[in-house]
Amino acid sequence: RTIHWHLSKRRSDVPSVSTIWRILARRGFIDHEPNKRPHNSFIRFEAALPNECWQADVTHWRLKDGSDVEILDFIDDHSRMIVATRVVRITRVPDVVDTFEDAASTWGYPASVLTDNGAIFNGGPRRGVTAFEALLNEMGIVYKHSRPYHPQTCGKIERFHQTLKRYLDKQSPARSMAGLQRQIDRFVAYYNEERPHRARGSITPRAAFDALEKARPGSLVAKTHFRVRTDKIDSCGKVTLRHDSKLFHIAVGRQHRGTRIRLYVADLDIRIVTLDGTLLRHLVLDTTRAYQPSGLPRNKVREGSRVPR
C-alpha cells in the first residue's frame, strides 16, 4: 500500500495493490504471519482530535560497541504523529519532563497523556508522585496509565517502536548516541511527513495532525473501559457478562456450545472471538435487556464469519 501510494503521486499507470503484493511475495519480501491475532479481534480506541492524548514509552537499542541505550518517544494518539523522540543512556524522570516540554513547545500541550507503569512515569505503585505527574497535574493535563502487564493499552507507541527497529536494523550500527539520534530523526521526519499511515486512511501523520482543531488541557477526554475475558459458550449457546453490577446473557448460537472464546469489551462494545480467530458476534450491549438475542442489538458483522488472517 505504501509503494502504491508513492507511485500514484508520480504517475498515472500504477499497478494495483494486489499486483505489487504478488511481486513482493515472489521476490521473498513478504513475511507471512499466520499466527498473528486477526485485526477484527482487537478493540481499538482512537482519540477524536490531535493532542487529545499522547502516548509515551521507552524502548532499548544497542550501539555498535554493544553498549545499551534507551529511546524515549511520544506519539499523538489521533494522528500517529511522533511529537518527540530522544536517545539517552538511561531514561530518568528529568529526561521525560524535558522531552515532554520540548514537544509541547512545538506542538502544543495535550489534553491527556497515557503511559505504562514505569517508575519514570507513574509513582503510584511506589506510593509517590513523579515530577512528570506533578507537571501534568499543574498544567491540568489528565494522566492515564495502563494496567500492569497489558502493553496493548499503549499499542500505538509499541507498534511505532516495532517499525522504528525494523528501520534501524537496516542501517549501519550507530557509533554514538548522537549518531543514533540522527538516524532516528531522519526516520521520524519520513514517518511523519512522507509515509502514508493505513490507520489514518493512507495520509501522513502530519497531514492528519494538521487537519483538525487541536485539543488542549482541560478538553473533555474519553475514558473507555477495556476488558478481555476467556470463557466457554454454555450448553444453551450463550455467554454471560457482568456490566455495571448486572449480569447479561448473550446469545451466540447452539452450534457453538462448548467453544472456548474470548470476550473483548470496550464499554458497551463487545466482540466474541474463538481462540483461533473466528469472530462469532459483534454487538453493542443493550442494557435494558438481561438477555441479548442473536438479532438484538443488530450485529455489525455476519455471525460466524471467518476473520481474515
Side-chain angles (χ1 to χ4, degrees):
R1 289 179 182 271
T2 300
I3 292 172
H4 182 274
W5 187 87
H6 282 293
L7 288 176
S8 65
K9 299 294 182 182
R10 304 178 184 179
R11 52 192 300 166
S12 57
D13 55 336
V14 180
S16 67
V17 172
S18 59
T19 298
I20 295 173
W21 188 93
R22 285 195 298 270
I23 294 171
L24 294 175
R26 191 164 60 243
R27 301 279 180 98
F29 296 146
I30 299 294
D31 292 329
H32 296 279
E33 297 179 300
N35 295 323
K36 192 172 182 180
R37 189 195 296 182
H39 287 290
N40 283 18
S41 70
F42 285 96
I43 295 174
R44 300 185 182 276
F45 165 79
E46 180 178 280
L49 293 173
N51 282 358
E52 181 179 318
C53 179
W54 286 1
Q55 292 187 19
D57 197 13
V58 173
T59 192
H60 300 265
W61 196 249
R62 284 188 175 180
L63 301 179
K64 186 172 184 178
D65 63 5
S67 59
D68 292 319
V69 295
E70 296 182 347
I71 305 169
L72 169 65
D73 293 313
F74 284 82
I75 190 173
D76 177 64
D77 189 287
H78 170 80
S79 65
R80 313 303 203 274
M81 190 174 77
I82 304 303
V83 296
T85 184
R86 179 174 294 188
V87 178
V88 295
R89 184 65 65 180
I90 298 176
T91 310
R92 306 185 187 278
V93 175
D95 299 315
V96 177
V97 172
D98 291 345
T99 305
F100 175 79
E101 289 278 32
D102 287 347
S105 68
T106 302
W107 308 110
Y109 284 96
S112 66
V113 174
L114 172 65
T115 74
D116 61 17
N117 289 281
I120 57 173
F121 300 121
N122 179 18
R126 288 151 292 281
R127 299 183 180 181
V129 176
T130 67
F132 181 58
E133 290 176 287
L135 172 64
L136 297 181
N137 183 61
E138 179 183 345
M139 298 293 300
I141 298 170
V142 175
Y143 176 56
K144 303 180 287 185
H145 56 83
S146 62
R147 70 177 186 266
Y149 311 112
H150 196 262
Q152 296 92 332
T153 305
C154 299
K156 297 182 182 69
I157 192 68
E158 296 278 359
R159 183 63 182 84
F160 169 73
H161 284 157
Q162 292 181 32
T163 303
L164 173 62
K165 288 180 176 180
R166 288 177 181 174
Y167 167 80
L168 292 176
D169 275 335
K170 303 295 184 181
Q171 311 306 306
S172 298
R175 297 176 178 271
S176 65
M177 291 170 55
L180 178 60
Q181 185 71 64
R182 287 192 293 271
Q183 288 181 337
I184 294 174
D185 288 345
R186 284 195 296 270
F187 176 73
V188 168
Y190 167 75
Y191 182 92
N192 284 342
E193 307 279 352
E194 299 181 49
R195 179 183 182 271
H197 203 298
R198 291 179 61 181
R200 301 309 314 141
S202 292
I203 64 174
T204 64
R206 179 62 187 272
F209 185 85
D210 291 340
L212 297 174
E213 181 182 354
K214 311 299 180 287
R216 55 183 60 87
S219 298
L220 183 64
V221 176
K223 295 184 178 180
T224 304
H225 177 62
F226 298 95
R227 283 186 288 164
V228 179
R229 199 184 89 215
T230 301
D231 205 339
K232 185 169 70 172
I233 299 174
D234 67 19
S235 59
C236 296
K238 66 181 186 301
V239 294
T240 58
L241 177 70
R242 190 172 296 278
H243 174 79
D244 197 21
S245 301
K246 298 179 182 178
L247 196 62
F248 294 88
H249 305 275
I250 304 173
V252 184
R254 288 181 181 272
Q255 68 272 29
H256 301 298
R257 57 183 178 270
T259 301
R260 300 275 300 171
I261 52 92
R262 288 193 180 96
L263 290 96
Y264 298 92
V265 182
D267 289 337
L268 299 179
D269 187 274
I270 301 167
R271 295 173 192 243
I272 301 174
V273 183
T274 65
L275 300 187
D276 68 355
T278 300
L279 181 63
L280 299 182
R281 181 142 192 221
H282 181 191
L283 71 149
V284 176
L285 189 70
D286 183 351
T287 57
T288 66
R289 307 172 65 103
Y291 179 68
Q292 311 284 301
S294 58
L296 292 173
R298 187 183 184 89
N299 285 347
K300 296 180 181 178
V301 297
R302 181 171 58 88
E303 293 184 17
S305 60
R306 182 71 181 178
V307 179
R309 300 188 69 86

PDB file of all heavy atoms in Angstrom, residues 33 36-44 159 198-199 264 271 273 277 279 307-309:
ATOM      1  N   GLU A  33       2.626 -14.087   8.534  1.00  0.00           N
ATOM      2  CA  GLU A  33       2.443 -14.199   9.981  1.00  0.00           C
ATOM      3  C   GLU A  33       1.096 -14.855  10.264  1.00  0.00           C
ATOM      4  O   GLU A  33       0.167 -14.206  10.739  1.00  0.00           O
ATOM      5  CB  GLU A  33       2.519 -12.824  10.634  1.00  0.00           C
ATOM      6  CG  GLU A  33       3.876 -12.151  10.463  1.00  0.00           C
ATOM      7  CD  GLU A  33       3.928 -10.782  11.086  1.00  0.00           C
ATOM      8  OE1 GLU A  33       3.125  -9.913  10.675  1.00  0.00           O
ATOM      9  OE2 GLU A  33       4.748 -10.573  11.984  1.00  0.00           O
ATOM     10  N   LYS A  36      -0.520 -14.446  13.789  1.00  0.00           N
ATOM     11  CA  LYS A  36      -0.794 -13.118  14.312  1.00  0.00           C
ATOM     12  C   LYS A  36      -2.287 -12.967  14.578  1.00  0.00           C
ATOM     13  O   LYS A  36      -3.112 -13.417  13.803  1.00  0.00           O
ATOM     14  CB  LYS A  36      -0.342 -12.066  13.294  1.00  0.00           C
ATOM     15  CG  LYS A  36      -0.318 -10.651  13.828  1.00  0.00           C
ATOM     16  CD  LYS A  36       0.320  -9.732  12.795  1.00  0.00           C
ATOM     17  CE  LYS A  36       0.413  -8.313  13.303  1.00  0.00           C
ATOM     18  NZ  LYS A  36       1.022  -7.414  12.305  1.00  0.00           N
ATOM     19  N   ARG A  37      -2.635 -12.315  15.692  1.00  0.00           N
ATOM     20  CA  ARG A  37      -4.048 -12.185  16.032  1.00  0.00           C
ATOM     21  C   ARG A  37      -4.785 -11.383  14.957  1.00  0.00           C
ATOM     22  O   ARG A  37      -4.301 -10.349  14.502  1.00  0.00           O
ATOM     23  CB  ARG A  37      -4.211 -11.453  17.368  1.00  0.00           C
ATOM     24  CG  ARG A  37      -5.655 -11.475  17.868  1.00  0.00           C
ATOM     25  CD  ARG A  37      -5.917 -10.473  18.958  1.00  0.00           C
ATOM     26  NE  ARG A  37      -5.172 -10.740  20.163  1.00  0.00           N
ATOM     27  CZ  ARG A  37      -5.292  -9.987  21.254  1.00  0.00           C
ATOM     28  NH1 ARG A  37      -6.101  -8.951  21.271  1.00  0.00           N
ATOM     29  NH2 ARG A  37      -4.586 -10.271  22.329  1.00  0.00           N
ATOM     30  N   PRO A  38      -5.965 -11.839  14.504  1.00  0.00           N
ATOM     31  CA  PRO A  38      -6.710 -11.131  13.466  1.00  0.00           C
ATOM     32  C   PRO A  38      -7.058  -9.710  13.891  1.00  0.00           C
ATOM     33  O   PRO A  38      -7.375  -9.451  15.052  1.00  0.00           O
ATOM     34  CB  PRO A  38      -7.988 -11.976  13.302  1.00  0.00           C
ATOM     35  CG  PRO A  38      -7.623 -13.312  13.827  1.00  0.00           C
ATOM     36  CD  PRO A  38      -6.621 -13.084  14.912  1.00  0.00           C
ATOM     37  N   HIS A  39      -7.026  -8.777  12.928  1.00  0.00           N
ATOM     38  CA  HIS A  39      -7.315  -7.381  13.231  1.00  0.00           C
ATOM     39  C   HIS A  39      -8.707  -7.210  13.822  1.00  0.00           C
ATOM     40  O   HIS A  39      -8.918  -6.372  14.696  1.00  0.00           O
ATOM     41  CB  HIS A  39      -7.185  -6.525  11.962  1.00  0.00           C
ATOM     42  CG  HIS A  39      -5.760  -6.312  11.537  1.00  0.00           C
ATOM     43  ND1 HIS A  39      -4.884  -5.524  12.248  1.00  0.00           N
ATOM     44  CD2 HIS A  39      -5.061  -6.800  10.484  1.00  0.00           C
ATOM     45  CE1 HIS A  39      -3.706  -5.514  11.646  1.00  0.00           C
ATOM     46  NE2 HIS A  39      -3.780  -6.278  10.583  1.00  0.00           N
ATOM     47  N   ASN A  40      -9.681  -7.977  13.349  1.00  0.00           N
ATOM     48  CA  ASN A  40     -11.051  -7.807  13.825  1.00  0.00           C
ATOM     49  C   ASN A  40     -11.240  -8.249  15.268  1.00  0.00           C
ATOM     50  O   ASN A  40     -12.290  -7.996  15.850  1.00  0.00           O
ATOM     51  CB  ASN A  40     -12.031  -8.574  12.917  1.00  0.00           C
ATOM     52  CG  ASN A  40     -12.275  -7.848  11.624  1.00  0.00           C
ATOM     53  OD1 ASN A  40     -11.501  -6.979  11.258  1.00  0.00           O
ATOM     54  ND2 ASN A  40     -13.331  -8.194  10.934  1.00  0.00           N
ATOM     55  N   SER A  41     -10.267  -8.931  15.844  1.00  0.00           N
ATOM     56  CA  SER A  41     -10.400  -9.343  17.234  1.00  0.00           C
ATOM     57  C   SER A  41      -9.957  -8.247  18.194  1.00  0.00           C
ATOM     58  O   SER A  41     -10.146  -8.367  19.398  1.00  0.00           O
ATOM     59  CB  SER A  41      -9.572 -10.604  17.489  1.00  0.00           C
ATOM     60  OG  SER A  41      -8.192 -10.321  17.442  1.00  0.00           O
ATOM     61  N   PHE A  42      -9.362  -7.169  17.667  1.00  0.00           N
ATOM     62  CA  PHE A  42      -8.924  -6.083  18.519  1.00  0.00           C
ATOM     63  C   PHE A  42     -10.059  -5.094  18.750  1.00  0.00           C
ATOM     64  O   PHE A  42     -10.887  -4.843  17.881  1.00  0.00           O
ATOM     65  CB  PHE A  42      -7.754  -5.316  17.872  1.00  0.00           C
ATOM     66  CG  PHE A  42      -6.444  -6.034  17.932  1.00  0.00           C
ATOM     67  CD1 PHE A  42      -6.013  -6.792  16.860  1.00  0.00           C
ATOM     68  CD2 PHE A  42      -5.656  -5.959  19.059  1.00  0.00           C
ATOM     69  CE1 PHE A  42      -4.800  -7.451  16.907  1.00  0.00           C
ATOM     70  CE2 PHE A  42      -4.445  -6.616  19.114  1.00  0.00           C
ATOM     71  CZ  PHE A  42      -4.017  -7.360  18.038  1.00  0.00           C
ATOM     72  N   ILE A  43     -10.091  -4.535  19.959  1.00  0.00           N
ATOM     73  CA  ILE A  43     -10.965  -3.404  20.244  1.00  0.00           C
ATOM     74  C   ILE A  43     -10.078  -2.178  20.260  1.00  0.00           C
ATOM     75  O   ILE A  43      -9.151  -2.082  21.063  1.00  0.00           O
ATOM     76  CB  ILE A  43     -11.680  -3.582  21.595  1.00  0.00           C
ATOM     77  CG1 ILE A  43     -12.618  -4.787  21.514  1.00  0.00           C
ATOM     78  CG2 ILE A  43     -12.448  -2.349  21.968  1.00  0.00           C
ATOM     79  CD1 ILE A  43     -13.262  -5.125  22.824  1.00  0.00           C
ATOM     80  N   ARG A  44     -10.347  -1.243  19.386  1.00  0.00           N
ATOM     81  CA  ARG A  44      -9.457  -0.116  19.215  1.00  0.00           C
ATOM     82  C   ARG A  44     -10.080   1.161  19.771  1.00  0.00           C
ATOM     83  O   ARG A  44     -11.248   1.431  19.566  1.00  0.00           O
ATOM     84  CB  ARG A  44      -9.112   0.083  17.730  1.00  0.00           C
ATOM     85  CG  ARG A  44      -8.417  -1.129  17.115  1.00  0.00           C
ATOM     86  CD  ARG A  44      -7.982  -0.851  15.700  1.00  0.00           C
ATOM     87  NE  ARG A  44      -7.370  -2.010  15.104  1.00  0.00           N
ATOM     88  CZ  ARG A  44      -6.100  -2.365  15.247  1.00  0.00           C
ATOM     89  NH1 ARG A  44      -5.316  -1.635  15.992  1.00  0.00           N
ATOM     90  NH2 ARG A  44      -5.621  -3.444  14.670  1.00  0.00           N
ATOM     91  N   ARG A 159       3.669  -0.177  18.656  1.00  0.00           N
ATOM     92  CA  ARG A 159       3.727  -0.502  17.222  1.00  0.00           C
ATOM     93  C   ARG A 159       4.758   0.374  16.509  1.00  0.00           C
ATOM     94  O   ARG A 159       5.480  -0.102  15.620  1.00  0.00           O
ATOM     95  CB  ARG A 159       2.347  -0.329  16.588  1.00  0.00           C
ATOM     96  CG  ARG A 159       2.307  -0.710  15.112  1.00  0.00           C
ATOM     97  CD  ARG A 159       2.639  -2.185  14.948  1.00  0.00           C
ATOM     98  NE  ARG A 159       2.655  -2.591  13.559  1.00  0.00           N
ATOM     99  CZ  ARG A 159       3.703  -2.454  12.752  1.00  0.00           C
ATOM    100  NH1 ARG A 159       4.817  -1.912  13.214  1.00  0.00           N
ATOM    101  NH2 ARG A 159       3.647  -2.865  11.504  1.00  0.00           N
ATOM    102  N   ARG A 198      -1.757   3.656   7.229  1.00  0.00           N
ATOM    103  CA  ARG A 198      -3.005   2.961   6.882  1.00  0.00           C
ATOM    104  C   ARG A 198      -4.103   3.257   7.891  1.00  0.00           C
ATOM    105  O   ARG A 198      -5.275   3.355   7.532  1.00  0.00           O
ATOM    106  CB  ARG A 198      -2.756   1.465   6.797  1.00  0.00           C
ATOM    107  CG  ARG A 198      -1.887   1.062   5.607  1.00  0.00           C
ATOM    108  CD  ARG A 198      -1.636  -0.433   5.582  1.00  0.00           C
ATOM    109  NE  ARG A 198      -2.873  -1.191   5.452  1.00  0.00           N
ATOM    110  CZ  ARG A 198      -2.920  -2.523   5.428  1.00  0.00           C
ATOM    111  NH1 ARG A 198      -1.796  -3.214   5.544  1.00  0.00           N
ATOM    112  NH2 ARG A 198      -4.064  -3.143   5.292  1.00  0.00           N
ATOM    113  N   ALA A 199      -3.742   3.408   9.164  1.00  0.00           N
ATOM    114  CA  ALA A 199      -4.752   3.688  10.183  1.00  0.00           C
ATOM    115  C   ALA A 199      -5.344   5.079  10.035  1.00  0.00           C
ATOM    116  O   ALA A 199      -6.405   5.368  10.587  1.00  0.00           O
ATOM    117  CB  ALA A 199      -4.142   3.535  11.579  1.00  0.00           C
ATOM    118  N   TYR A 264     -13.897  -9.462  24.055  1.00  0.00           N
ATOM    119  CA  TYR A 264     -13.183  -8.198  24.032  1.00  0.00           C
ATOM    120  C   TYR A 264     -14.216  -7.095  24.245  1.00  0.00           C
ATOM    121  O   TYR A 264     -15.097  -6.890  23.412  1.00  0.00           O
ATOM    122  CB  TYR A 264     -12.458  -8.005  22.703  1.00  0.00           C
ATOM    123  CG  TYR A 264     -11.398  -9.056  22.443  1.00  0.00           C
ATOM    124  CD1 TYR A 264     -11.697 -10.222  21.736  1.00  0.00           C
ATOM    125  CD2 TYR A 264     -10.099  -8.893  22.910  1.00  0.00           C
ATOM    126  CE1 TYR A 264     -10.731 -11.190  21.509  1.00  0.00           C
ATOM    127  CE2 TYR A 264      -9.128  -9.857  22.685  1.00  0.00           C
ATOM    128  CZ  TYR A 264      -9.446 -10.996  21.980  1.00  0.00           C
ATOM    129  OH  TYR A 264      -8.485 -11.950  21.756  1.00  0.00           O
ATOM    130  N   ARG A 271     -17.016  -7.907  21.383  1.00  0.00           N
ATOM    131  CA  ARG A 271     -16.680  -8.863  20.332  1.00  0.00           C
ATOM    132  C   ARG A 271     -16.450 -10.216  20.983  1.00  0.00           C
ATOM    133  O   ARG A 271     -15.732 -10.316  21.981  1.00  0.00           O
ATOM    134  CB  ARG A 271     -15.438  -8.434  19.559  1.00  0.00           C
ATOM    135  CG  ARG A 271     -15.609  -7.149  18.766  1.00  0.00           C
ATOM    136  CD  ARG A 271     -14.295  -6.703  18.167  1.00  0.00           C
ATOM    137  NE  ARG A 271     -14.389  -5.348  17.652  1.00  0.00           N
ATOM    138  CZ  ARG A 271     -14.238  -5.010  16.375  1.00  0.00           C
ATOM    139  NH1 ARG A 271     -13.980  -5.957  15.493  1.00  0.00           N
ATOM    140  NH2 ARG A 271     -14.344  -3.768  15.985  1.00  0.00           N
ATOM    141  N   VAL A 273     -14.883 -13.831  20.134  1.00  0.00           N
ATOM    142  CA  VAL A 273     -13.943 -14.383  19.163  1.00  0.00           C
ATOM    143  C   VAL A 273     -13.434 -15.724  19.674  1.00  0.00           C
ATOM    144  O   VAL A 273     -13.070 -15.850  20.847  1.00  0.00           O
ATOM    145  CB  VAL A 273     -12.749 -13.426  18.944  1.00  0.00           C
ATOM    146  CG1 VAL A 273     -11.798 -13.967  17.884  1.00  0.00           C
ATOM    147  CG2 VAL A 273     -13.232 -12.036  18.566  1.00  0.00           C
ATOM    148  N   GLY A 277      -9.431 -17.312  16.242  1.00  0.00           N
ATOM    149  CA  GLY A 277      -9.616 -16.074  15.495  1.00  0.00           C
ATOM    150  C   GLY A 277     -10.910 -15.916  14.737  1.00  0.00           C
ATOM    151  O   GLY A 277     -11.052 -14.981  13.957  1.00  0.00           O
ATOM    152  N   LEU A 279     -14.547 -14.638  14.393  1.00  0.00           N
ATOM    153  CA  LEU A 279     -15.430 -13.671  15.029  1.00  0.00           C
ATOM    154  C   LEU A 279     -16.854 -14.223  15.011  1.00  0.00           C
ATOM    155  O   LEU A 279     -17.472 -14.354  13.959  1.00  0.00           O
ATOM    156  CB  LEU A 279     -15.383 -12.330  14.289  1.00  0.00           C
ATOM    157  CG  LEU A 279     -16.247 -11.201  14.843  1.00  0.00           C
ATOM    158  CD1 LEU A 279     -15.795 -10.809  16.246  1.00  0.00           C
ATOM    159  CD2 LEU A 279     -16.182 -10.000  13.907  1.00  0.00           C
ATOM    160  N   VAL A 307     -12.594 -14.426  10.215  1.00  0.00           N
ATOM    161  CA  VAL A 307     -11.779 -13.241  10.173  1.00  0.00           C
ATOM    162  C   VAL A 307     -10.569 -13.476   9.304  1.00  0.00           C
ATOM    163  O   VAL A 307      -9.893 -14.498   9.443  1.00  0.00           O
ATOM    164  CB  VAL A 307     -11.310 -12.872  11.619  1.00  0.00           C
ATOM    165  CG1 VAL A 307     -10.434 -11.644  11.589  1.00  0.00           C
ATOM    166  CG2 VAL A 307     -12.528 -12.658  12.513  1.00  0.00           C
ATOM    167  N   PRO A 308     -10.256 -12.555   8.350  1.00  0.00           N
ATOM    168  CA  PRO A 308      -9.066 -12.730   7.525  1.00  0.00           C
ATOM    169  C   PRO A 308      -7.824 -12.830   8.388  1.00  0.00           C
ATOM    170  O   PRO A 308      -7.674 -12.083   9.345  1.00  0.00           O
ATOM    171  CB  PRO A 308      -9.046 -11.469   6.660  1.00  0.00           C
ATOM    172  CG  PRO A 308     -10.454 -10.959   6.688  1.00  0.00           C
ATOM    173  CD  PRO A 308     -11.005 -11.339   8.032  1.00  0.00           C
ATOM    174  N   ARG A 309      -6.947 -13.740   8.039  1.00  0.00           N
ATOM    175  CA  ARG A 309      -5.734 -13.932   8.828  1.00  0.00           C
ATOM    176  C   ARG A 309      -4.576 -13.224   8.146  1.00  0.00           C
ATOM    177  O   ARG A 309      -4.516 -13.122   6.964  1.00  0.00           O
ATOM    178  CB  ARG A 309      -5.436 -15.425   8.976  1.00  0.00           C
ATOM    179  CG  ARG A 309      -6.554 -16.167   9.678  1.00  0.00           C
ATOM    180  CD  ARG A 309      -6.144 -17.588   9.976  1.00  0.00           C
ATOM    181  NE  ARG A 309      -5.120 -17.635  10.987  1.00  0.00           N
ATOM    182  CZ  ARG A 309      -5.369 -17.637  12.309  1.00  0.00           C
ATOM    183  NH1 ARG A 309      -6.606 -17.566  12.745  1.00  0.00           N
ATOM    184  NH2 ARG A 309      -4.378 -17.689  13.175  1.00  0.00           N
TER     185      ARG A 309
END
